[in-house]
Amino acid sequence: MGRYILLRHREIPDLHRLEVYVRHGGYEAWRKALTAMTPEQVIEEVKASGLRGRGGAGFPTGMKWSFVPKDVFPKYVVVNADESEPGTFKDREIMEGNPHQLIEGALLAAYAIQAERVYVYVRGEYRSVARRLEAAIAEAYAAGFIGRNVLGTGYSVEMFVHLGAGAYICGEETALLESLEGKIGHPRVRPPFPATHGLYGKPTVVNNVETLANVPPIILHGAAWYRAMGTEKSPGPKIFCLSGRVRRPGNYEAELGKITFRDLIFGEEYGQGLLEEGRAVKAILPAGASAPMLPPSALDTPLDYESVQAAGSILGSASIIVLDDTVDIVWAAYKMIRFFQHESCGKCTPCREGTYWLRRVYERIVAGRGRPGDADLLESIARQMAGKTLCPLGDFATSPVLSSLKHFRKEYEAYLRRTIEAPVGAPA
Ligand code: SF4
């Protein structure tokens, strides 16, 4: 096994072609599961591996699969390929470079829960990615890895690609299911959860692309092999998407917990430092716009779920955006709020009204028309939203506000002081 487990196409040219993938051990895990393992054994192996969902929530994958009832049919596996968190571009690379590993992982998930159909929900902007996936799926059908009576075992499974319209909220699993059913992508009230009432009201597993790409090597090499990587609570490899004010942005694969923010940003084999000489890190966004930003004191935090949480944020999808000291934090928070307000689906009041209200307050602050109590007002609006919305988007929207106020309140105060001392329109 080479250095890469998920981004193997970087070592193996043309890995997106079935013939190359098979030549390098592709679909061996699928063959092994179908011929030598029961569905329960597949679930137990994934459970034992400790694999946690790579889409953001970090929920144990094997446990998620085990919640699906055994005696209700039909069942579905839905691949969440609606990659829309700002700064996240890892799933795209897997789907373009190593699509068969995702397909094999999705097939293993289907077998584990005994689903008959797999839908890959790709965001609308990823049209070329969807075409690449469709070509790979067609190859897998032709080779007999998908379809009726796969490899003569009596098990049948179908796989389809579905293009969404490109809405952030459709990355939320229940909104994704609504969209897949042809409805507006509004999140559903939970419970019931998709494990029992998912697509068309039937048992469904929704997994992220990177999560499923981890499954074939787990089945092939075993849970103990997988657990030897990463940390006890965050085992395995992870793709870190690095962007922002760094010299070499991109996707980097490393074991969870084995590198720190500092390694990722400054390491020779990773980001190679900041974009401009002489600048300093001002803030780190560990999971795109939705996770609380961290100050430079968090630079030595190991990149695993527990450590980032202990530092005051979440690792989520690990889309790490670096802000240096040229960045105006109030302006950056405003940009994020504008994004969330635009992407709010409007179904529940705290998010619909709260994001709109936050945006209005930010607009007047950055325009130089802030009012003396505006920093407190932002905090109060965000606190009234937190934990009171139907889906996580409402909570995400509070992250840039509360974390920037926590670590950079002085910048807000400076904005407001300038407004009071020199109101817009006053003679210079
Ligand atoms: S939190 Fe926002 S995005 Fe989520 S359901 Fe409510 S209005 Fe829609």
Side-chain angles (χ1 to χ4, degrees), residues 37-324:
M37 295 172 82
T38 63
E40 291 75 22
Q41 283 172 326
V42 174
I43 293 180
E44 285 312 312
E45 198 70 31
V46 174
K47 256 191 193 171
S49 75
L51 171 64
R52 297 173 63 166
R54 304 294 200 238
F59 193 79
T61 304
M63 186 115 60
K64 195 173 193 178
W65 295 0
S66 68
F67 293 153
V68 174
K70 295 205 171 9
D71 49 353
V72 183
F73 293 91
K75 301 186 227 195
Y76 300 99
V77 166
V78 175
V79 182
N80 186 344
D82 189 84
E83 185 171 52
S84 44
E85 182 63 46
T88 312
F89 38 85
K90 63 187 175 64
D91 294 346
R92 173 176 199 140
E93 185 171 345
I94 294 173
M95 288 188 280
E96 282 180 336
N98 192 8
H100 284 290
Q101 192 160 322
L102 162 66
I103 294 167
E104 192 178 2
L107 291 171
L108 287 163
Y111 178 67
I113 67 160
Q114 290 291 285
E116 297 87 353
R117 283 185 167 216
V118 178
Y119 289 97
V120 189
Y121 185 97
V122 185
R123 73 182 282 98
E125 290 86 343
Y126 279 11
R127 189 167 290 270
S128 63
V129 176
R131 299 290 96 90
R132 170 64 60 94
L133 271 178
E134 277 169 347
I137 289 170
E139 282 184 311
Y141 264 107
F145 294 128
I146 312 177
R148 297 195 64 75
N149 189 20
V150 181
L151 303 174
T153 58
Y155 178 66
S156 300
V157 61
E158 306 282 329
M159 190 178 289
F160 306 92
V161 173
H162 180 95
L163 266 174
Y168 179 83
I169 192 58
C170 289
E172 195 281 332
E173 62 178 12
T174 60
L176 187 157
L177 295 175
E178 288 282 296
S179 171
L180 199 49
E181 289 179 6
K183 303 178 204 148
I184 294 174
H186 280 171
R188 296 175 182 170
V189 177
R190 291 182 292 183
F193 291 93
T196 55
H197 295 75
L199 190 62
Y200 306 118
K202 294 295 179 184
T204 303
V205 153
V206 184
N207 280 139
N208 163 262
V209 169
E210 187 189 351
T211 310
L212 291 170
N214 274 272
V215 176
I218 291 172
I219 297 302
L220 197 56
H221 304 291
W225 166 85
Y226 191 80
R227 272 206 169 273
M229 290 174 280
T231 67
E232 202 203 322
K233 289 187 176 161
S234 299
K238 176 87 191 84
I239 305 174
F240 300 97
C241 310
L242 181 66
S243 67
R245 303 281 295 168
V246 287
R247 192 169 295 165
R248 209 166 66 121
N251 286 321
Y252 296 103
E253 182 175 333
E255 292 181 35
L256 280 161
K258 294 297 158 78
I259 59 169
T260 62
F261 285 117
R262 191 186 297 283
D263 297 332
L264 185 69
I265 297 167
F266 294 98
E268 205 37 46
E269 53 181 313
Y270 304 108
Q272 295 183 356
L274 297 180
L275 203 54
E276 284 177 49
E277 211 57 54
R279 293 289 171 195
V281 171
K282 185 168 181 178
I284 306 160
L285 280 67
S290 56
M293 59 180 80
L294 293 169
S297 56
L299 271 170
D300 292 313
T301 306
L303 293 173
D304 62 67
Y305 296 98
E306 291 71 37
S307 304
V308 177
Q309 193 169 6
S313 190
I314 53 167
L315 184 63
S317 58
S319 30
I320 292 151
I321 304 176
V322 182
L323 309 184
D324 70 11

Side-chain angles (χ1 to χ4, degrees), residues 169 172 185-188 340 343-352 355 388-395:
I169 192 58
E172 195 281 332
H186 280 171
R188 296 175 182 170
F340 285 121
E343 296 293 340
S344 167
C345 82
K347 185 167 179 173
C348 60
T349 312
C351 173
R352 183 183 63 239
T355 52
K388 300 184 183 70
T389 58
L390 185 58
C391 89
L393 188 146
D395 274 331

